[in-house]
Amino acid sequence: MATVQDENLFTGPIGREYEMLRLICPNAAALAGKLGEHLATARPGALLLGFEIGCGTGVSTLALLAKNAGLHLLAVDSSAKMLAQARENLGEWTDAGRVEFVEADALEALRAQGDASFDVVASNYATHNFRDDYRSSVVAETYRVLKPGGLFLNGDRFALDDRAAHLALTQSLVRQWFKSFAAINRYDLLEDWVVHLYSDESPEHIMYFSPALTLLREVGFAPEVLYREGVDTLVAATKPAPPR
């Protein structure tokens, strides 16, 4: 779930063993499933062309494809290590022509697409890695490449607006990480994930909930919060269709 700007976070041990995300964020897989389920509910049986931002190892890619038989995906990530895992994990879907994996920076890949090209743009645990300015550009490009009535589905880590409450939640999270990784004697990965968390929580990266929704509205989206537990959130943002 990486872009060129943050690929150093995912080309090392984190990228090689990204399945360890299940230890530190079980909701990541749960939200991936919810992405696929919501798309199936919102566009039942439709033939859809989709773009996935930061597909990682293909967990959310699989959830989207398995729940939506008419969906064809262009899945983008800048980490070669993670894409290699995605291609292996979803080989049958690639062979069937349902998904194309592309190694590219998310923003550059979006800018290469035509206006109103996609029915859905999806992302799971990618946009919180972006710097604020980069994230704003990604949201604007997402709006541009979507068809009128198209959906931007984003399952991600949206920080609590209450700074003190967010700090307490983050401290509790790190304590749990120490317990989880100590149980399997993987302090090496714990170190990398803690360093990564410092990046996520830095002022130029942290994605606060209300400002993130405001950004979507300013671009033109009509966002709806479908799920929120702590920081783990699923947002569906619709590009309005012109009135008939």
Side-chain angles (χ1 to χ4, degrees), residues 35-83:
L35 282 177
E37 291 165 4
H38 179 75
L39 183 58
T41 300
R43 302 288 189 273
L47 295 176
L48 301 169
L49 184 60
F51 184 105
E52 186 177 10
I53 298 170
C55 63
T57 59
V59 174
S60 48
T61 313
L62 176 59
L64 287 161
L65 293 170
K67 293 287 185 179
N68 299 276
L71 175 64
H72 289 74
L73 269 181
L74 175 63
V76 172
D77 204 288
S78 69
S79 170
K81 287 184 173 67
M82 298 179 81
L83 278 176

Side-chain angles (χ1 to χ4, degrees), residues 180-198:
S180 298
F181 283 101
I184 59 172
N185 196 29
R186 291 302 307 270
Y187 289 102
D188 56 330
L189 282 177
L190 172 62
E191 178 182 349
D192 286 315
W193 277 109
V194 169
V195 169
H196 175 68
L197 181 64
Y198 267 92

